[in-house]
Amino acid sequence: MRRTATPFSLIVLGLGVFLLVLAPLLAWYVEPRAQRTPVDIDTTTVFTGTGSYFDTDEIETVHDQRITITRQVRGDVADSERSGRAVWDVSTSVDTDKSLPAADPHDSLQWTTERWVTDRKTNEPVHCCQEKPYFEGEAYLKFPFDVQKRSYIWWDNTLGSTVTLAYRGKKRIQGYEGLRFTGSVPATKTGTRLVPGTIVGEKDAGQVLAEEWYANHGIELVADQRTGRIIYAAIGPRKTLRAPGGEKDAVVLLDSERVAFTPETQKEQVDLADTDSGLLRLVGRTLPLGTGIAGFLLAVVGTVLVARGRPHPDTPESSQQPLTM
């Protein structure tokens, strides 16, 4: 008797081999290409806290006031597709209760717009596509994918330079674990502003070119390790004016020990991080592992079926009797 492989056994063996080849492709080829900064982002984050600000109606600094920072990020899909980069337009407003709800950002205590352009894979800044302002560093609106337990260079737009954020361990936000980074900014001159001399203690002067100074009491960012999404942020901005050549702050424009993501913003960012991280985990770990195991089992079963085959009667020529007359 001889044996031949059945079509079913060949199909099982072929499917097993296919899955064994597919498993490493998912882990080594598909997942890295899925780790790309999105271009169609449209999200709003809100910080709240208490502090002091210069009230232009009262012409003095008022204290113990609620401060709200609203940041809206929208992706420019058309420019992103043309350049192959992630092009994000960012609008940030600082408001007090007087200017909320902010129907027009021009009424805010402070309003800035930026265009953030990054490499979609590395998160490194790319200087193109009408980027504004020029920036450097490794992190700003997000961290790179696969965040490491090390210090990162964070861009502080108010400072106009980078700040080193040190890794401080893990922290749970709304029950979700992320990596925590902290830093601070010492008082630094950032520019000048033309103001009445009386504001900075120059009573005999008319208009003076006062010095703008900026510091940050503390920066705390918590990032999702897999996606780099910031699930919690807190800052402590301090902006002041000094008389030309002065060594002390003459007036406080804005000062808060801590303004941080609201619970609603934390939950939204955690949900987004959990979803995105889950998809990357599915493509990079769960599917390759499941596909590899299934492929191995099918290949073993297919090999056994092919080896066993289907029996057929053995009819060699030597077994046939010659015809005689």
Side-chain angles (χ1 to χ4, degrees), residues 29 37 62 78 85 136 161 203 230 240 256 264 280 312 322:
Y29 184 84
T37 300
V62 293
R85 315 297 186 181
E136 294 292 352
S161 186
K203 297 181 180 180
I230 296 175
T240 61
S256 176
E264 294 77 14
L280 289 177
H312 287 275

Side-chain angles (χ1 to χ4, degrees), residues 4 37 98 111 116 135 154 191 224 226 235 237 239 263 273 296 316:
T4 59
T37 300
K98 283 186 176 182
W111 179 50
W116 175 257
F135 62 94
W154 181 73
D224 174 47
R226 188 177 295 273
I235 55 176
K239 298 181 68 177
F296 175 77

Side-chain angles (χ1 to χ4, degrees), residues 44 46 48 174 261-271:
T44 299
V46 181
T48 58
Q174 302 273 344
F261 273 2
T262 63
E264 294 77 14
T265 292
Q266 293 174 36
K267 185 179 186 308
E268 179 182 2
Q269 296 305 303
V270 163
D271 289 345

Side-chain angles (χ1 to χ4, degrees), residues 214-226:
Y214 165 74
N216 203 306
H217 299 292
I219 303 160
E220 180 183 7
L221 303 178
V222 180
D224 174 47
Q225 186 168 14
R226 188 177 295 273

